[in-house]
Amino acid sequence: MDIGTRRDSGKHTAILQAAIQVISQAGYHNAQISRIAREAGVADGTVYLYFKNKEDLLLSILRKAIGEVVLQLEQALPTEKTAEWKLRRIVEIYFQDLSRDPALAMVTQVHLRQVDAELRRQVGDIMKPFYNLLDGVIDQGVREGVVDGAISHRIARRMIFGTMDETVTAWVLTGSKYNLPALAPEIVRVLLYGISRRDDVKEEVTL
Amino acid sequence: MDIGTRRDSGKHTAILQAAIQVISQAGYHNAQISRIAREAGVADGTVYLYFKNKEDLLLSILRKAIGEVVLQLEQALPTEKTAEWKLRRIVEIYFQDLSRDPALAMVTQVHLRQVDAELRRQVGDIMKPFYNLLDGVIDQGVREGVVDGAISHRIARRMIFGTMDETVTAWVLTGSKYNLPALAPEIVRVLLYGISRRDDVKEEVTL
Amino acid sequence: MDIGTRRDSGKHTAILQAAIQVISQAGYHNAQISRIAREAGVADGTVYLYFKNKEDLLLSILRKAIGEVVLQLEQALPTEKTAEWKLRRIVEIYFQDLSRDPALAMVTQVHLRQVDAELRRQVGDIMKPFYNLLDGVIDQGVREGVVDGAISHRIARRMIFGTMDETVTAWVLTGSKYNLPALAPEIVRVLLYGISRRDDVKEEVTL
Amino acid sequence: MDIGTRRDSGKHTAILQAAIQVISQAGYHNAQISRIAREAGVADGTVYLYFKNKEDLLLSILRKAIGEVVLQLEQALPTEKTAEWKLRRIVEIYFQDLSRDPALAMVTQVHLRQVDAELRRQVGDIMKPFYNLLDGVIDQGVREGVVDGAISHRIARRMIFGTMDETVTAWVLTGSKYNLPALAPEIVRVLLYGISRRDDVKEEVTL
DNA sequence: GATGAATGAGTGTTCATTCAT
DNA sequence: AATGAATGAACACTCATTCAT
């Protein structure tokens, strides 16, 4: 069922888009294949020509979303020299990409969690490249001397991802009303320096 | 946990415990009422004498878990004077409580997210008291001058909760093998000061 | 379970009345024993001290209703001399009794039909005495020369009962708003002479 | 009966026939969809491709039965000139149609009554056309001078329908053993002239 | 007699998936 | 490739009835 890179007559994309719309509105368990098919303008059976099953459809959405973020990051990060500025770009691009398609964000942030153990493992695989990028930046930060080498990489990564994740989820659940990317600078500030007051700031975080 | 309350000849508690076990293993959508009932040693119908429906059973688990954390925090926090130490106690107690019952943690961290919009609202209501405690500590921190008043309360709270949540979820999904509470000091350190290197540290974070 | 004639502390009657009320409103299949018990002010189990099961409860209602009608007819009919006047009394008393307790009428006319084959046989047994009364009057009518002996007794009886039944059911289903006994004279007229015009009437039907 | 229409490869008809058979034997509340499906040779789910739900299946049976009677009456009645002969045709055709399919008669006469209030309203709607036909004939009878204009139309209609209904129900409950249409002439006689003896008969009712 | 907590059998309906065309 | 009619497994919840107290 690996259709490959050719997207045929656009049906692959149409079904994926329809799935994002339907799932974002109704949730994974209430998103019937028949409704997704109708929305995409194809027959029920056609969905199974492009996706192995409903679960695969959900994972494909995540792959697409994370794939795009990673792709953009791979292009943008080399531009930045310091780890600090790379982290800044990560948060910005992550927020920008997700805020560009609220329905997609709703699916990845909320409905994707509504799945069972087996699926969760695959979600981890898909997130890998993104986690690796984060780890790379933390590494560089330590080498540069701006990130505390004593902090566990795992903990650092989880704080960064956990904070971004919680922020996007809150944004999505409150209706995607405010400007998400605008929060990036303040987020980066707490990631770098925590919530503590800093009188000794020389070069303040600006954007 | 709530030992001795034993209302209704212990059936209420038995069903709740059985639900935690079954849901933690199979997930909410795969946890049949009949299986929970069997595990609890009661008839299917008996479940409905103690809980309104399956959803109510799930919410009761969260209520129990969060209720206990909040209860302990309300007793412990007044003991601590500074906001910093209060934050420290929050992370410690949160980690300790959840690590005491990995199955319960699995349910609240993973399976509880597998629910639809209507339920999500109720989850928010249950979490309210915990969020309020966090806000209170942040407030105090600002007044004490240790927390940066320029940082949005919302963002601060989301970083704190997002980081703890991500940490517990990762612990639970990797099999609850390592000592979760032992991570508390390092977590508090990144919450307070971020990931940045701090040469200017006068009084380092210790425990 | 034959409690006999003694009605103990009135619980037998209380449960029967409660059943009439609950079934008339909710229908047989929606009338839970627990609700009938609550309405009667007794425990669920107590219902089974006075009635074999739910079905028996329903039959008891019919027995009570038909029993009262038959009792009254057995007292009133001997008073009337001619078959014509006896028929008149039958319709009058049948209508009067049912209109006295609309809830009871609702149960016997509507909800009692919502039962299965086995029960239906028993309903027939209960109706027997009433049918016998009808047959007796028809017999007498033939002997008196006012009823056409050529008409099958069965057909005559079904016309009489079918017409009364349809009339009462219509009355009950439209909310028991109008005066049912007031229809008796006209009903008797069509039972005796059909719907045809009668120019040759010597002694018209009056009341 | 509607032979040749055969829509949907006959599955619609097959399910309807299976439902008539199963319900006539077991009653509405004991007729499981799975049993009807098996009897029709289709999967359970297939029933729901042709009928909205179990209730809709029951109403479809009545619609089919009454629809056929009304159709035949609409063709036959214009043939008859007088109201008397039209009434005769109504009884004949009603009896003939129902006696042609005893299982169908069992469902409409007995099991259809086993339903709740909401359904009952819809039953009324379906019966409307038949009631209207009866009213039309009574009207004509009054105009012709053979029906007593002083008799309430409602009462006349209820006597006619109540008598037919009671007759068919009795026939069906006793095993559909005797010839139902053969009773038509005698039934018409009691509808027209009641049970009274008629010495003054000039042109007696014959068939 | 009276209670009411506990039982557990019973079923309409949905929907992901298949496959003959 | 595309269709969509057909499939059938799966399950939360109700409620008449029982029985230990």
Side-chain angles (χ1 to χ4, degrees):
Chain A
M1 305 286 165
D2 190 358
I3 307 300
T5 41
R6 278 178 301 104
R7 293 299 166 81
D8 311 72
S9 49
K11 289 207 164 104
H12 182 97
T13 302
I15 294 169
L16 214 49
Q17 288 300 339
I20 292 172
Q21 290 305 321
V22 174
I23 293 177
S24 74
Q25 288 165 28
Y28 179 67
H29 287 288
N30 282 324
Q32 299 97 325
I33 290 291
S34 61
R35 193 168 149 201
I36 292 173
R38 194 182 336 123
E39 193 91 355
V42 301
D44 291 17
T46 304
V47 172
Y48 290 84
L49 294 176
Y50 293 90
F51 300 90
K52 195 153 152 278
N53 51 33
K54 191 179 175 184
E55 206 171 65
D56 181 41
L57 190 48
L58 188 66
L59 287 177
S60 296
I61 292 174
L62 181 63
R63 255 183 234 112
K64 176 187 151 78
I66 288 300
E68 276 169 19
V69 168
V70 169
L71 195 71
Q72 294 209 29
L73 286 175
E74 282 170 347
Q75 294 174 338
L77 290 196
T79 307
E80 309 294 343
K81 291 214 188 67
T82 69
E84 184 181 327
W85 279 99
K86 282 185 177 169
L87 178 61
R88 210 174 299 284
R89 294 296 282 159
I90 288 176
V91 178
E92 283 169 6
I93 289 175
Y94 191 76
F95 281 10
Q96 275 164 10
D97 264 34
L98 286 176
S99 68
R100 200 168 292 142
D101 190 346
L104 178 59
M106 179 64 98
V107 174
T108 60
Q109 296 300 122
V110 179
H111 302 302
L112 193 68
R113 324 279 159 124
Q114 305 179 13
V115 292
D116 58 31
E118 164 52 25
L119 199 51
R120 193 164 298 278
R121 204 185 45 70
Q122 302 187 52
V123 169
D125 288 346
I126 297 173
M127 296 301 289
K128 237 352 175 343
F130 184 71
Y131 290 152
N132 287 341
L133 277 175
L134 279 181
D135 282 341
V137 171
I138 294 170
D139 264 342
Q140 181 181 340
V142 172
R143 270 183 272 112
E144 286 174 5
V146 287
V147 170
D148 190 338
I151 298 175
S152 151
H153 272 43
R154 225 190 299 268
I155 284 183
R157 188 222 297 153
R158 278 178 203 147
M159 181 193 64
I160 296 171
F161 185 73
T163 302
M164 289 198 297
D165 191 68
E166 186 77 16
T167 303
V168 177
T169 298
W171 172 76
V172 124
L173 288 180
T174 52
S176 326
K177 295 200 194 95
Y178 52 89
N179 189 330
L180 180 62
L183 298 184
E186 208 171 347
I187 295 290
V188 173
R189 186 251 178 265
V190 296
L191 293 180
L192 288 175
Y193 308 109
I195 58 175
S196 62
R197 177 140 162 251
R198 304 173 63 241
D199 302 321
D200 55 324
V201 178
K202 285 150 283 189
E203 36 169 1
E204 183 51 277
V205 176
T206 55
L207 191 71
Chain B
M1 303 177 190
D2 218 2
I3 312 166
T5 306
R6 295 255 228 136
R7 60 161 145 158
D8 306 290
S9 72
K11 287 210 165 77
H12 181 97
T13 303
I15 294 169
L16 213 50
Q17 289 299 339
I20 291 172
Q21 291 304 322
V22 174
I23 293 178
S24 75
Q25 288 165 29
Y28 179 67
H29 287 288
N30 283 324
Q32 297 98 326
I33 289 291
S34 61
R35 194 168 149 201
I36 293 174
R38 197 184 329 125
E39 188 89 12
V42 301
D44 291 19
T46 305
V47 173
Y48 292 86
L49 293 178
Y50 293 89
F51 301 91
K52 199 155 149 277
N53 49 34
K54 193 178 173 183
E55 203 172 73
D56 180 41
L57 192 46
L58 188 66
L59 288 177
S60 295
I61 293 175
L62 180 63
R63 253 182 237 113
K64 176 186 150 78
I66 288 299
E68 277 168 20
V69 169
V70 169
L71 196 70
Q72 293 208 30
L73 287 176
E74 281 171 347
Q75 293 174 338
L77 291 196
T79 307
E80 310 294 342
K81 291 215 187 68
T82 68
E84 184 182 325
W85 279 99
K86 283 184 175 168
L87 177 61
R88 209 174 301 283
R89 294 294 284 158
I90 288 177
V91 178
E92 282 168 8
I93 289 176
Y94 191 75
F95 282 11
Q96 276 166 10
D97 263 34
L98 286 175
S99 68
R100 200 168 292 144
D101 190 346
L104 178 59
M106 178 64 97
V107 174
T108 60
Q109 294 301 122
V110 180
H111 302 302
L112 196 66
R113 325 276 158 126
Q114 306 177 13
V115 293
D116 58 27
E118 164 51 23
L119 200 49
R120 193 167 298 279
R121 204 184 46 69
Q122 301 188 51
V123 169
D125 286 347
I126 298 174
M127 297 300 290
K128 245 328 176 7
F130 184 70
Y131 290 150
N132 287 341
L133 278 175
L134 280 181
D135 283 341
V137 171
I138 294 169
D139 264 342
Q140 181 180 342
V142 172
R143 270 182 272 115
E144 287 175 2
V146 286
V147 169
D148 190 338
I151 298 175
S152 151
H153 273 44
R154 226 189 299 266
I155 284 183
R157 189 222 296 151
R158 278 178 203 147
M159 180 193 62
I160 297 172
F161 186 74
T163 301
M164 290 197 296
D165 190 70
E166 185 76 16
T167 302
V168 177
T169 299
W171 170 78
V172 122
L173 288 180
T174 53
S176 328
K177 296 199 194 97
Y178 53 88
N179 188 329
L180 180 62
L183 299 184
E186 210 172 346
I187 295 291
V188 173
R189 187 251 179 264
V190 296
L191 293 181
L192 287 175
Y193 308 109
I195 57 174
S196 62
R197 176 141 162 252
R198 305 173 62 240
D199 302 320
D200 55 324
V201 177
K202 286 148 283 190
E203 36 168 2
E204 183 51 276
V205 177
T206 56
L207 191 68
Chain C
M1 305 288 163
D2 190 356
I3 307 300
T5 39
R6 277 176 303 104
R7 293 297 165 82
D8 311 73
S9 50
K11 287 201 166 115
H12 181 98
T13 303
I15 294 169
L16 214 49
Q17 287 299 340
I20 291 172
Q21 290 305 321
V22 173
I23 293 178
S24 74
Q25 287 165 28
Y28 180 66
H29 287 287
N30 282 324
Q32 298 96 327
I33 290 291
S34 61
R35 193 167 150 203
I36 293 173
R38 193 181 336 122
E39 193 92 355
V42 300
D44 291 17
T46 304
V47 172
Y48 290 85
L49 295 175
Y50 293 89
F51 299 90
K52 198 153 151 276
N53 51 32
K54 192 179 174 184
E55 206 172 65
D56 181 41
L57 190 47
L58 189 65
L59 287 177
S60 296
I61 292 175
L62 181 63
R63 256 184 233 112
K64 178 187 149 79
I66 288 300
E68 275 170 20
V69 169
V70 170
L71 196 71
Q72 293 209 29
L73 287 175
E74 282 170 346
Q75 294 175 336
L77 291 197
T79 307
E80 309 294 341
K81 292 217 187 66
T82 69
E84 182 180 327
W85 279 99
K86 282 185 177 171
L87 177 60
R88 208 175 301 284
R89 293 296 283 158
I90 287 177
V91 178
E92 282 169 7
I93 289 176
Y94 191 76
F95 283 10
Q96 273 165 12
D97 263 34
L98 286 175
S99 68
R100 199 167 293 143
D101 189 346
L104 177 60
M106 179 63 97
V107 174
T108 59
Q109 297 300 122
V110 179
H111 302 301
L112 193 67
R113 325 278 158 123
Q114 306 178 14
V115 292
D116 57 30
E118 164 53 23
L119 199 52
R120 193 164 297 278
R121 203 185 44 70
Q122 302 187 51
V123 169
D125 286 347
I126 298 174
M127 296 300 290
K128 244 332 177 3
F130 183 71
Y131 290 151
N132 287 340
L133 277 175
L134 279 181
D135 283 340
V137 171
I138 294 170
D139 264 342
Q140 181 181 343
V142 172
R143 268 182 275 115
E144 287 175 3
V146 285
V147 170
D148 191 340
I151 298 174
S152 151
H153 272 43
R154 223 189 300 268
I155 285 182
R157 188 223 298 153
R158 280 180 203 143
M159 180 193 64
I160 297 172
F161 184 73
T163 301
M164 289 198 297
D165 190 68
E166 185 75 18
T167 303
V168 177
T169 298
W171 171 76
V172 125
L173 288 180
T174 51
S176 326
K177 295 198 194 98
Y178 53 88
N179 188 330
L180 180 62
L183 298 183
E186 209 171 346
I187 295 291
V188 173
R189 187 249 178 265
V190 294
L191 293 179
L192 288 174
Y193 308 109
I195 58 174
S196 62
R197 175 137 165 254
R198 305 172 63 241
D199 302 321
D200 55 322
V201 177
K202 285 152 283 188
E203 36 169 1
E204 183 49 276
V205 177
T206 55
L207 190 70
Chain D
M1 303 169 194
D2 217 3
I3 311 167
T5 306
R6 293 254 230 139
R7 59 161 146 159
D8 307 291
S9 72
K11 286 209 166 78
H12 181 97
T13 303
I15 294 169
L16 212 51
Q17 288 299 338
I20 291 172
Q21 289 305 321
V22 174
I23 294 178
S24 75
Q25 287 164 29
Y28 179 67
H29 288 288
N30 283 324
Q32 298 97 327
I33 289 290
S34 61
R35 194 167 149 204
I36 293 173
R38 195 184 331 126
E39 188 88 14
V42 300
D44 290 19
T46 305
V47 172
Y48 291 86
L49 293 179
Y50 294 89
F51 300 91
K52 196 155 150 276
N53 50 34
K54 192 179 175 183
E55 201 173 70
D56 180 41
L57 191 47
L58 188 67
L59 288 177
S60 296
I61 293 174
L62 180 63
R63 256 183 235 111
K64 177 186 149 79
I66 288 300
E68 278 168 20
V69 169
V70 169
L71 195 71
Q72 293 208 28
L73 287 176
E74 282 171 347
Q75 293 174 337
L77 291 197
T79 307
E80 310 294 343
K81 290 217 189 67
T82 69
E84 183 180 327
W85 279 98
K86 282 185 176 169
L87 177 60
R88 209 174 301 283
R89 295 294 284 157
I90 287 177
V91 177
E92 281 169 8
I93 288 175
Y94 191 75
F95 282 11
Q96 275 166 11
D97 262 34
L98 286 176
S99 69
R100 200 168 292 144
D101 189 345
L104 178 59
M106 179 64 97
V107 174
T108 60
Q109 295 301 121
V110 179
H111 301 302
L112 195 67
R113 325 277 158 123
Q114 305 177 12
V115 293
D116 58 28
E118 164 51 24
L119 200 51
R120 192 166 299 279
R121 205 186 43 70
Q122 301 187 53
V123 170
D125 286 346
I126 297 174
M127 296 301 289
K128 238 347 173 354
F130 183 71
Y131 290 149
N132 286 341
L133 277 175
L134 280 182
D135 283 340
V137 171
I138 295 170
D139 265 341
Q140 180 180 344
V142 173
R143 270 182 273 114
E144 287 176 2
V146 286
V147 169
D148 191 339
I151 298 175
S152 150
H153 272 44
R154 223 189 300 267
I155 284 182
R157 188 223 297 154
R158 277 179 204 147
M159 180 194 63
I160 296 172
F161 185 73
T163 301
M164 290 198 298
D165 190 69
E166 185 75 17
T167 303
V168 177
T169 297
W171 171 76
V172 122
L173 288 179
T174 53
S176 328
K177 295 197 194 99
Y178 52 88
N179 188 330
L180 180 63
L183 299 184
E186 210 172 343
I187 295 292
V188 173
R189 186 253 179 260
V190 296
L191 293 181
L192 287 174
Y193 307 109
I195 56 175
S196 63
R197 176 143 164 252
R198 306 173 62 240
D199 302 320
D200 54 322
V201 178
K202 285 150 281 187
E203 38 168 0
E204 183 51 275
V205 176
T206 56
L207 190 69

